[in-house]
Amino acid sequence: MPKVKVKRTKPTLDMTPMVDLAFLLVTFFMLTTQFSPEEAVIVDTPSSVSEIRLPESNVITITVDKNDRVFFGVDSKQVKEVLLNKMAGKYGVSFSPTEVETFSLLTNFGVPMNRLKSYLAMETDARKNYDKQAPGIPIDSVGNELGDWVHQTRLSNPKVVVAIKGDQDVSFETVQKVINTLQDKKVNRFNLITDMENRPQNL
């Protein structure tokens, strides 16, 4: 009796679920990804092997570039609005609601109080160009505005932590002035922002 030949069929794979999953993942990452905010100045931080991470919120960032200019930034929009009003009262300056809104959207800035109003009145592109030659926030002993910014921020939000982000080519004297300013305002614990580097392997 002849054998019955079973017709062979090629296996098929339905790709529809995989395509759906790929689109879902792409959509998820597009909606949840947070881009780094654009900073007024870019610094090349030194490297270290420290694995301590900064908190994601409630952070004061003091940036010092290679030209020894000091920039100040706070991450919370609400804190920045309260902060600017407090500094305005301390220095006898008034800011319009539009200027307060503009300030609350800045990542950081590096201008003294007597130039801040005109700085906020600039268009975005003009402000970016100005940042290239901005004088920075004063840290000298006569008019140490950095200390006032730190002090008023801590009054506005007692939970904030302080982080110093210094360029690897910044002078030691400038960093020491920043640290002395923090200590004058009773800030004895702060973080130094660095780039991650691999730990040395034991021989």
Side-chain angles (χ1 to χ4, degrees):
M1 187 173 178
K3 293 182 179 179
V4 178
K5 292 184 177 180
V6 179
K7 187 178 180 181
R8 294 184 179 182
T9 59
K10 294 182 178 180
T12 60
L13 180 63
D14 187 5
M15 296 293 293
T16 305
M18 295 184 66
V19 173
D20 290 342
L21 178 61
F23 276 108
L24 285 173
L25 287 173
V26 170
T27 304
F28 171 77
F29 288 121
M30 286 177 62
L31 294 176
T32 58
T33 300
Q34 293 183 350
F35 295 98
S36 299
E38 188 172 0
E39 299 184 6
V41 64
I42 304 299
V43 297
D44 185 12
T45 54
S47 58
S48 73
V49 296
S50 175
E51 296 180 356
I52 300 174
R53 292 184 176 273
L54 279 175
E56 295 184 359
S57 59
N58 301 321
V59 179
I60 295 173
T61 304
I62 300 172
T63 305
V64 189
D65 74 349
K66 61 183 178 182
N67 297 319
D68 296 332
R69 300 180 303 165
V70 177
F71 289 73
F72 181 86
V74 187
D75 59 351
S76 170
K77 184 176 185 293
Q78 290 75 20
V79 171
K80 282 185 274 193
E81 292 175 353
V82 175
L83 171 61
L84 184 61
N85 288 323
K86 287 189 174 184
M87 288 293 288
K90 179 176 179 61
Y91 282 85
V93 184
S94 61
F95 294 96
S96 67
T98 302
E99 291 168 339
V100 174
E101 176 69 16
T102 301
F103 180 81
S104 69
L105 298 176
L106 296 178
T107 304
N108 57 3
F109 65 97
V111 294
M113 278 297 296
N114 60 5
R115 299 190 192 180
L116 184 57
K117 192 173 181 67
S118 59
Y119 178 75
L120 296 175
M122 295 178 183
E123 297 293 334
T124 303
D125 291 338
R127 198 180 302 124
K128 290 179 181 178
N129 290 329
Y130 181 80
D131 287 334
K132 297 175 183 178
Q133 69 262 1
I137 297 175
I139 56 173
D140 54 290
S141 57
V142 177
N144 194 326
E145 294 183 9
L146 177 63
D148 292 333
W149 283 108
V150 172
H151 180 66
Q152 295 299 331
T153 305
R154 296 182 73 207
L155 291 178
S156 303
N157 181 11
K159 296 180 181 179
V160 293
V161 297
V162 179
I164 301 175
K165 184 179 181 180
D167 193 277
Q168 62 181 358
D169 294 326
V170 68
S171 68
F172 173 78
E173 290 77 9
T174 302
V175 176
Q176 186 62 53
K177 286 181 180 179
V178 172
I179 294 175
N180 291 341
T181 298
L182 295 177
Q183 292 177 333
D184 289 342
K185 298 301 177 182
K186 311 301 181 186
V187 180
N188 295 310
R189 297 186 64 181
F190 50 85
N191 299 274
L192 296 175
I193 299 176
T194 58
D195 286 335
M196 187 67 182
E197 109 180 354
N198 293 330
R199 289 181 177 276
Q201 300 295 325
N202 293 330
L203 300 176

